[in-house]
Amino acid sequence: MISRMLLAASAALTLALSAPAFAHDYKAGEIVIDHPWTRATPPNAPVAGGYLTLDNRGSSEDRLLGGSSPVASDVQIHEMSMDDGVMKMRQITDGLAVPAGEAVELSPGGYHLMLMDLSEPLKEGARVPLTLRFEKAGDVEVELAVEAMGAKAPQGESHEMHHGAAHGDTDMPGHEGMAEKSAQ
């Protein structure tokens, strides 16, 4: 009886201690950062996209200013949009506003992070260290979960849930598709 109780207590403790290892969200001031992820890259790919949701639970606006990572020479904020049937990409140089009480999604086909001049390929299943820099919340260290090449959403989330039907977006490829083509 005592050994069963010890075994049950041990199992409960193991689950309790391992739960944070599975959690993939972070907090910077009043900003909650949900499931940062990226895609695996082919050898010699120069760039990778970074995706996440920024949920401002505070009463004042903050701005994502950029970031840094040991696997990239620079981390920039970019936007993809359609203009007269042509996909356009541009760097957001003055930061991305995260309004008070609202969430901003960085996803394929819209706002996203660009990890520039990768020093190594990103491998599926790995975690990529990334420091995000906010105007008010300051710096926060996160890890990008590396999903499969061509993934449209983090593992366990549907494409529609992540950026399709919920936002009315069309399925526009991210920069990785371009990197894959240039690496071939």
Side-chain angles (χ1 to χ4, degrees), residues 24-104:
H24 199 207
D25 58 344
Y26 304 85
K27 192 165 190 229
E30 296 298 323
I31 307 288
V32 174
I33 302 157
D34 186 40
H35 199 88
W37 68 284
T38 187
R39 296 176 176 136
T41 59
N44 302 319
V47 298
Y51 314 107
L52 47 91
T53 300
L54 303 171
D55 185 3
N56 186 345
R57 298 185 181 172
S59 58
S60 64
E61 178 178 284
D62 203 343
R63 293 185 88 67
L64 176 63
L65 301 174
S68 62
S69 175
V71 303
S73 67
D74 193 18
V75 175
Q76 303 173 353
I77 305 165
H78 283 221
E79 177 183 28
M80 291 177 71
S81 61
M82 293 296 284
D83 185 18
D84 291 327
V86 177
M87 187 185 330
K88 296 197 174 197
M89 224 174 332
R90 70 180 182 96
Q91 181 181 358
I92 308 291
T93 56
D94 59 345
L96 179 62
V98 186
E102 294 186 28
V104 175

Side-chain angles (χ1 to χ4, degrees), residues 118-141:
L118 295 174
S119 61
E120 60 190 63
L122 306 182
K123 298 188 184 321
E124 184 176 352
R127 297 283 177 130
V128 175
L130 174 70
T131 301
L132 297 172
R133 189 174 57 259
F134 292 90
E135 185 174 71
K136 294 179 183 169
D139 290 355
V140 62
E141 293 182 21

